[in-house]
Structure formats: C-alpha cells, structure tokens
Amino acid sequence: MVKSFINLISIICFVYSCITSAIGQEVNADELPKVKVTMLLEHEGFLTWYAKENGWDKKLGFEIDLSICDVSGVEIMNQHNADPKSWSITSVSSTPLITANNNSSFEIIGLANDESISTQVFVRPNSNILKHRGWNADYPNVYGSPETIAGKTFYVKRMTSSEYVLSKWLEIFDLDFSDIVLIDKPGMDSVEAMNKGSGEGMALWSPATFDAEKEGYKSVTSARMAEAEIPLMIVADKEYAQNNEELVAKFLAVYLQAVNSQQDGYKKLVKAYQRFLKQYTDKDYPEEFCLYDLRNHYVFDLDRQLELFATKGHRKSIIKKLERNITSSMVLFLNDSTSDEKCSPHKVKSPRNISDKYLKLAEPYLKKLND
C-alpha cells in the first residue's frame, strides 16, 4: 500500500515536472528577442519564411517577426521613412534605395539574390521587334531596332527594377522613354492589359514573367542580357544594426542557411515554395512555376558574399563598385524619366553604406546551425 502510494506520488511529480517544463519553454520562447523583418512577396521573402519555418531562428536564440508584403520596394522604403520602427531588416533593389534619398540611415549588410535573369522585357509573339536580333553588335542576343520600337506602347511599374531594365534596353538602340508611350501598371495588370489587345510590350519581374511566358509572349531581353545587373540587397536600419550586431548577424546566418538549402538542390524546395505562396496569396501555384522561379534566382553563399564585400587597402569591394555603377546609371535614368522622382547629382557622389561586418559575425552562427 505504501509502495503504491509512493509510486503514485512519483507519477504525479513527473507529470507536474513535464507540465512546468513545457510552460517554462513557452515562456522562454515568448521572451526570445524579435527581429522585425519585412520582405516582398518574392523569392527572398520565401527564403526568409523557409528559415523561420525550419526554426533556425529559435535555434540561435531569437525570433524573426516576419511581414510579407505584396507591394514595391519603394513603398517598403517609404514605410520606413515614415516610421523607422516599422522594420529593422528588409531586402530591396537599387531603385528603392536611391528613391529613399540614399540617406545614411540604411546599411547594406548582404545579398539576397540576383534578379538579372528573372527581370525581362516581353513583346507580342507576332511583333516586328522580334524580326531583328543583334542590331547592336555589343548585344547579339537582344531583339529590336530603333524603327520597330519607336512609338510603341509599353507597360511597366514605375520606379522599379523593371523600369530600369526597360530603359537599359532602349538605350541599346539609342532610344529613351520619350521615344515610346509608357503606361504605369503593375506586372500582372500589364499581362492582363496585353491579353485584352492593348500595348506592344511590357517590362516585368517574377512571378509576372512566368505568366507572360505561359501566355505566349516573347522575351526580347533580360536584365542580364542588357547588362543591367539587379542584385537584391539585404538592408538593415543602421542604428538598429549598430545596437544589435549579434541579432543582425544571426538573421544573416539563418538566411544563408536557406541559401545553402537552395544550392543543395532547389527542386527539394518546391513543396515549401507552394505552401509559402498559398499562405500569402491564397492561390495554388504549380510546381512548374516554383521550379522556374527558384532556377532563375541566383543566390550567394557566405564564402562568395565575403569575396564580393571584401576590401583590400583603399580598393573598393566588388559589391561597392557594382552598386556605385548601378547608382550612377539609375540616377541618370530617373532624371531622364517622366517620373516626379528626381535625384540630385550629390547622391551619386555620396558613398553608399556597405559593410561586411555582419557577414563575418554570421559565420560562427551558420556553423552552429550545421552542428
């Protein structure tokens, strides 16, 4: 009898211990420091979501407070300008960074991906523009000629990387926006307008590029073909990063772990990508699209990023040179465009805040994720 009573007490104590332990874990999870991250509803948003889904942030002792937005990069930067606490880390291309006044409150801390393949200009399959390829010998695989392009109507979302690519394509033929009719429309709306019979072409980024190809439209150039590089930068609020170096480094570590997963075999990520898109769009995307998007977004592992961000003596890093060239080119394009957004020349001269400090700090955390 006594023995049974003791066993009963032991069981009760064990159950109580399990309950209190579980409660303690929940409390600890709630007390994890949070990093406010805003990402576009794009590939880099998926990689961040994938890292969070796998619990890599909690494994490193923090939590990603993730917002996925179906807006433009310019809107994300404007959101931060209006409320600096709206996010601490994001990812955008060079256009939003420039139109966000290129001020010193942001710091480029890494590379999310390269969209030079997935940003393209499309025309109708029967367009005369497709009759000419290599008009400019420096761009042998780019379609078009001054005569077939001038006066035509093109759709593009203004103040985006796709507008930048459109301008670079026109530049190949010694043309600019004054030589065409430009209509401001988001990517999917552009495809819909073309389907209704309006317009000659459109400049798009993924996922609209996938829909354009499915509808039979033909690509006349990609950003890469037009030598218009589009690296997506991982950007941090400068003050936040300086005050929270460890958290910023941990975020980079979990993002780079997702990059490693893609490099290990992007086909393995298709099902997860479908879940991500379903969660934020309530649409069922086919495996074909996910394969297309993963394949067309080049990513950079830690070793490659450290190479690109490295400085030797007074020599600028590769990424700083690239960003400087993009900035100079885009400022000229923005000032020549019909947009109200203008950039003063001093912005080209101002050094962009680019640091490899957080990438270096991320290295031990990345190793810990693989232990």
Side-chain angles (χ1 to χ4, degrees):
M1 182 71 178
V2 173
K3 186 175 181 180
S4 299
F5 179 74
I6 292 173
N7 288 338
L8 179 61
I9 293 298
S10 298
I11 293 171
I12 292 172
C13 289
F14 175 75
V15 172
Y16 176 78
S17 174
C18 291
I19 293 172
T20 54
S21 176
I23 292 173
Q25 289 177 356
E26 290 179 5
V27 171
N28 289 336
D30 289 340
E31 291 178 350
L32 289 177
K34 290 181 171 60
V35 180
K36 296 189 73 172
V37 179
T38 293
M39 290 285 176
L40 294 171
L41 182 55
E42 295 180 1
H43 171 263
E44 64 278 4
F46 162 67
L47 289 185
T48 307
W49 174 89
Y50 186 73
K52 182 176 173 66
E53 281 287 291
N54 279 279
W56 295 329
D57 52 347
K58 292 181 179 178
K59 185 174 180 179
L60 292 182
F62 79 106
E63 185 175 358
I64 296 174
D65 182 6
L66 181 61
S67 295
I68 298 293
C69 301
D70 190 12
V71 296
S72 70
V74 172
E75 290 172 278
I76 284 180
M77 298 306 289
N78 287 340
Q79 180 188 34
H80 187 276
N81 285 339
D83 177 13
K85 294 184 178 180
S86 59
W87 53 259
S88 300
I89 296 176
T90 191
S91 177
V92 293
S93 64
S94 295
T95 302
L97 285 174
I98 295 170
T99 56
N101 294 325
N102 196 20
N103 59 39
S104 60
S105 64
F106 307 114
E107 192 159 20
I108 294 172
I109 60 171
L111 290 173
N113 56 43
D114 181 1
E115 291 194 339
S116 301
I117 297 175
S118 60
T119 306
Q120 302 177 48
V121 179
F122 289 87
V123 297
R124 298 186 178 281
N126 61 350
S127 173
N128 288 335
I129 292 173
L130 293 169
K131 294 181 178 180
H132 300 270
R133 188 173 76 167
W135 179 90
N136 184 328
D138 290 333
Y139 304 90
N141 296 314
V142 173
Y143 288 89
S145 68
E147 295 76 21
T148 56
I149 296 171
K152 299 298 193 304
T153 297
F154 287 83
Y155 292 104
V156 66
K157 178 61 179 172
R158 305 306 306 270
M159 309 309 301
T160 63
S161 56
S162 60
E163 185 183 24
Y164 173 53
V165 173
L166 181 60
S167 74
K168 296 295 285 185
W169 177 62
L170 294 173
E171 190 178 295
I172 292 171
F173 308 102
D174 299 320
L175 302 174
D176 58 36
F177 288 153
S178 67
D179 296 301
I180 63 172
V181 178
L182 204 59
I183 299 178
D184 186 3
K185 275 189 184 297
M188 298 308 298
D189 291 348
S190 297
V191 176
E192 184 177 343
M194 291 279 287
N195 287 344
K196 292 179 179 178
S198 176
E200 181 71 18
M202 51 192 166
L204 308 169
W205 69 87
S206 187
T209 49
F210 175 81
D211 291 275
E213 288 188 9
K214 290 289 287 183
E215 294 290 343
Y217 298 108
K218 302 299 181 182
S219 175
V220 293
T221 190
S222 66
R224 179 162 294 177
M225 287 182 183
E227 296 181 358
E229 298 298 324
I230 307 180
L232 267 286
M233 312 293 185
I234 299 177
V235 181
D237 176 271
K238 190 170 185 178
E239 182 179 354
Y240 177 85
Q242 291 175 344
N243 294 331
N244 299 274
E245 291 184 359
E246 183 179 330
L247 285 174
V248 172
K250 287 180 176 180
F251 170 79
L252 285 176
V254 300
Y255 188 87
L256 288 165
Q257 182 74 345
V259 165
N260 291 342
S261 297
Q262 176 168 326
Q263 290 184 330
D264 288 343
Y266 66 87
K267 293 180 181 179
K268 300 175 184 176
L269 302 183
V270 169
K271 296 297 183 184
Y273 207 170
Q274 287 178 307
R275 294 201 311 273
F276 166 76
L277 292 168
K278 177 68 173 179
Q279 179 176 333
Y280 290 103
T281 69
D282 200 31
K283 295 180 182 178
D284 295 312
Y285 278 78
E287 289 188 8
E288 183 184 4
F289 165 75
C290 296
L291 286 169
Y292 169 93
D293 209 46
L294 290 164
R295 183 174 60 247
N296 288 335
H297 281 88
Y298 184 81
V299 289
F300 309 83
D301 63 18
L302 178 60
D303 289 340
R304 181 56 179 151
Q305 296 214 27
L306 288 172
E307 289 177 12
L308 294 171
F309 278 74
T311 56
K312 295 181 180 179
H314 296 293
R315 295 178 62 182
K316 290 182 174 64
S317 66
I318 295 172
I319 192 63
K320 182 165 283 190
K321 289 178 182 177
L322 174 62
E323 180 65 5
R324 179 81 176 214
N325 290 338
I326 293 172
T327 300
S328 300
S329 180
M330 293 188 75
V331 166
L332 293 174
F333 129 69
L334 287 169
N335 286 341
D336 286 340
S337 76
T338 57
S339 170
D340 292 334
E341 294 282 354
K342 302 297 177 183
C343 296
S344 57
H346 83 272
K347 291 180 181 177
V348 183
K349 299 176 183 177
S350 300
R352 189 65 66 77
N353 298 296
I354 300 175
S355 175
D356 64 353
K357 174 172 64 176
Y358 305 100
L359 286 168
K360 291 177 179 177
L361 291 172
E363 191 166 10
Y365 297 119
L366 185 58
K367 288 180 180 178
K368 184 176 180 180
L369 290 173
N370 292 294
D371 288 343

